[in-house]
Amino acid sequence: MKGRTLGRHFKEGGKNLVRNGWMTFASVSAVAVMLFVVGAFVLMIMNVNHFASALEDDVEVRVFIDLTAGEEEQEELLTELEEITGVEEIAFVPKDEGLDSLIASLGDQGDIFETLRDENPLNDVYVVQAENPQETEQIANEAEELAYVDGVEYGQDIFEQLFTVTNFVRNAGFVLILGLMFTAMFLIANTIKLTILARKREIQIMKLVGATNGFIRWPFFIEGLLLGVIGSIIPISILSYGYIQFYDTFGQQTGIEYFQFLPQNPLILQMGALLIAIGAFVGVWGSMMSVRKFLKV
């Protein structure tokens, strides 16, 4: 397509927006509301995934070695642990080191445990890291069945709640976004339909003088594209400003090691690019629906 022809299509698409003032406003508003919700969910889901990844990276299986196991039995247990599918790394934590960690974690109150050094009641521990955090439970279950294992811990309750929350956020966001996208496409399709009906005679004349279907359709595609892109500018601006202010105020002050929000860049750029792409897709798809159903040429 020649640049001059493309320029003509953009010019006609822009004129159509002005001709259908209120419907244009309604379509842009629908796209803006839809993309605002989409953008808010994108920011939330990306931060939730960030939190989840930070926690997943720290998920480990602590295999407590039976107190009666000697060095030979410990080596045998280590070999069996290494053979479990999905195991990435195994570290040995002797019971003396475990006692030191316990005393340090209790602060001044930990001094009372100093008397236990000669008869340390704690277990030696193998700390097992999974290649995929999702396989942690399976590894823990297999490790628990091995000989010379006194017990296994891997934060089961936190682990299950973590994936329950992240899956709920993703699914709820997807359903809501899908519904809003269909609403926006419906309004854009009706806006394009009004343009087509208002220009029905003009379109018939264009056909009589030899205009192709593609030449006639292009301005309507451009109109839908412009509706979607214009509708994305408002939510991008609001969400970007809001997230910058939020991050500057609370971003690194959660007080919890793993719960640090994602930095503004490149998060805002990624969110903006995604919203523009969704807005353009919704606009073009809405215009295609309308042209296919109502443009009789």
Side-chain angles (χ1 to χ4, degrees), residues 36 56 102 127 160 171-172 181 205 210 212-213 223 246 249 282:
F36 180 84
E56 287 173 356
L102 175 62
V127 179
E160 293 177 351
N171 294 335
M181 284 181 65
I205 294 174
T212 64
N213 288 348
E223 181 181 356
F246 174 81
T249 305
V282 168

Side-chain angles (χ1 to χ4, degrees), residues 15-36:
K15 286 182 179 179
N16 291 343
L17 296 181
V18 177
R19 289 191 185 105
N20 303 307
W22 282 109
M23 283 302 297
T24 296
F25 175 78
S27 297
V28 170
S29 298
V31 173
V33 171
M34 181 268 293
L35 290 181
F36 180 84

Side-chain angles (χ1 to χ4, degrees), residues 17-283:
L17 296 181
V18 177
R19 289 191 185 105
N20 303 307
W22 282 109
M23 283 302 297
T24 296
F25 175 78
S27 297
V28 170
S29 298
V31 173
V33 171
M34 181 268 293
L35 290 181
F36 180 84
V37 176
V38 171
F41 265 92
V42 166
L43 293 176
M44 181 173 65
I45 289 172
M46 291 183 74
N47 275 290
V48 168
N49 285 337
H50 176 64
F51 299 155
S53 297
L55 285 171
E56 287 173 356
D57 291 340
D58 198 61
V59 171
E60 58 190 22
V61 180
R62 298 180 63 84
V63 180
F64 296 93
I65 304 171
D66 194 289
L67 293 173
T68 62
E71 291 185 9
E72 186 176 337
E73 287 81 7
Q74 290 185 2
E75 287 294 331
E76 181 181 338
L77 175 58
L78 176 60
T79 302
E80 293 178 339
L81 288 172
E82 290 174 337
E83 293 175 351
I84 296 177
T85 303
V87 171
E88 179 179 33
E89 184 180 357
I90 301 176
F92 177 71
V93 180
K95 58 184 179 180
D96 290 337
E97 185 177 327
L99 182 60
D100 290 338
S101 298
L102 175 62
I103 292 173
S105 66
L106 294 175
D108 294 336
Q109 297 179 352
D111 293 340
I112 62 175
F113 291 96
E114 289 288 350
T115 58
L116 299 177
R117 288 197 178 277
D118 294 335
E119 297 181 4
N120 191 337
L122 300 181
N123 301 76
D124 292 322
V125 177
Y126 282 125
V127 179
V128 182
Q129 197 78 33
E131 293 178 357
N132 181 357
Q134 302 275 355
E135 299 175 347
T136 299
E137 183 176 4
Q138 173 191 337
I139 292 173
N141 291 335
E142 291 188 35
E144 196 168 18
E145 299 299 323
L146 300 178
Y148 311 115
V149 173
D150 192 34
V152 170
E153 288 184 1
Y154 66 99
Q156 180 178 5
D157 293 338
I158 296 176
F159 190 72
E160 293 177 351
Q161 291 173 11
L162 168 66
F163 288 107
T164 299
V165 171
T166 53
N167 289 335
F168 173 78
V169 171
R170 292 183 186 123
N171 294 335
F174 176 76
V175 172
L176 182 59
I177 289 168
L178 197 62
L180 289 170
M181 284 181 65
F182 276 112
T183 301
M185 283 190 286
F186 174 76
L187 284 172
I188 289 175
N190 280 321
T191 301
I192 305 295
K193 176 185 175 182
L194 288 178
T195 301
I196 294 172
L197 293 176
R199 299 180 60 198
K200 185 176 181 180
R201 182 178 295 276
E202 179 184 345
I203 292 171
Q204 290 175 341
I205 294 174
M206 291 172 67
K207 282 293 295 180
L208 289 174
V209 298
T212 64
N213 288 348
F215 184 85
I216 296 172
R217 289 188 176 102
W218 260 102
F220 301 115
F221 292 159
I222 298 298
E223 181 181 356
L225 176 66
L226 291 175
L227 286 171
V229 172
I230 293 172
S232 69
I233 294 175
I234 298 174
I236 290 174
S237 301
I238 295 174
L239 289 170
S240 297
Y241 176 79
Y243 191 80
I244 289 172
Q245 295 301 313
F246 174 81
Y247 185 81
D248 288 343
T249 305
F250 304 107
Q252 297 178 334
Q253 301 177 20
T254 60
I256 304 176
E257 180 182 356
Y258 303 106
F259 288 81
Q260 302 298 326
F261 292 97
L262 286 168
Q264 306 156 10
N265 292 316
L267 177 60
I268 289 178
L269 293 177
Q270 294 170 344
M271 181 269 296
L274 179 62
L275 294 193
I276 291 175
I278 293 176
F281 170 78
V282 168

